[in-house]
Amino acid sequence: MTTQEQSQAGAGQAQELDVFAQLCPSRAMLADLADKWSMLILMGLGEFGPQRFSELQRAVDGVSRKMLTQSLRTLERNGLVRRTVHPETPPRVVYDLLPLGRELAVLLAPVGRWTEERTAQMLAAREEFDRAHADG
């Protein structure tokens, strides 16, 4: 995909995108979405609904404030998450899914469940692989 084609695709014109093509904007978008924190944030907002920053940080156990902030900003920039500041003292900020984010969260929920259900099998496969390749 040429630079001009990328520009046209980014402008919303009907272009065939190819996530396997190195320079296609859909590949960069997939990289944003496939980040573990982004996926967990989307799944958390999908499952628990609108949340404040601190609630979301508790829901996505282990995410640092910095990574949560960066991931939320990327998701907001990509039209998946809405950040609403309520004019109170102190200001209350709530994050919620936009329609695109809700659509993606619905798709991610089964992936999360599948992962939980199949983790024992994958861990066993990992151990078997490591044993088989321990001697190099």
Side-chain angles (χ1 to χ4, degrees):
M1 178 176 278
T2 67
T3 304
Q4 182 179 3
E5 289 171 332
Q6 287 178 14
S7 175
Q8 289 173 346
Q13 296 183 2
Q15 286 288 324
E16 187 173 327
L17 300 176
D18 180 359
V19 75
F20 294 102
Q22 181 178 1
L23 298 177
C24 184
S26 64
R27 181 180 282 190
M29 193 63 62
L30 181 63
D32 283 350
L33 299 174
D35 168 79
K36 79 173 174 182
W37 298 123
S38 295
M39 290 181 71
L40 290 169
I41 291 165
L42 289 167
M43 291 188 322
L45 289 171
E47 185 170 339
F48 304 118
Q51 296 177 59
R52 296 176 70 167
F53 187 92
S54 58
E55 295 170 323
L56 198 48
Q57 189 172 23
R58 281 190 298 275
V60 182
D61 191 27
V63 66
S64 68
R65 291 184 66 80
K66 178 183 176 184
M67 286 310 302
L68 182 56
T69 299
Q70 286 178 345
S71 298
L72 283 167
R73 185 158 296 161
T74 298
L75 293 169
E76 184 180 4
R77 182 174 181 238
N78 289 334
L80 301 169
V81 169
R82 172 183 34 237
R83 178 182 186 267
T84 304
V85 179
H86 297 274
E88 302 170 358
T89 305
R92 183 170 54 98
V93 179
V94 176
Y95 295 90
D96 193 11
L97 294 174
L98 289 167
L100 278 176
R102 276 192 292 280
E103 184 180 339
L104 183 54
V106 166
L107 295 171
L108 290 174
V111 174
R113 285 191 300 276
W114 182 90
T115 303
E116 291 170 342
E117 293 167 2
R118 300 294 187 251
T119 292
Q121 290 171 269
M122 290 185 284
L123 289 173
R126 182 185 289 179
E127 288 176 16
E128 183 178 327
F129 179 92
D130 289 348
R131 276 194 306 274
H133 295 85
D135 294 330

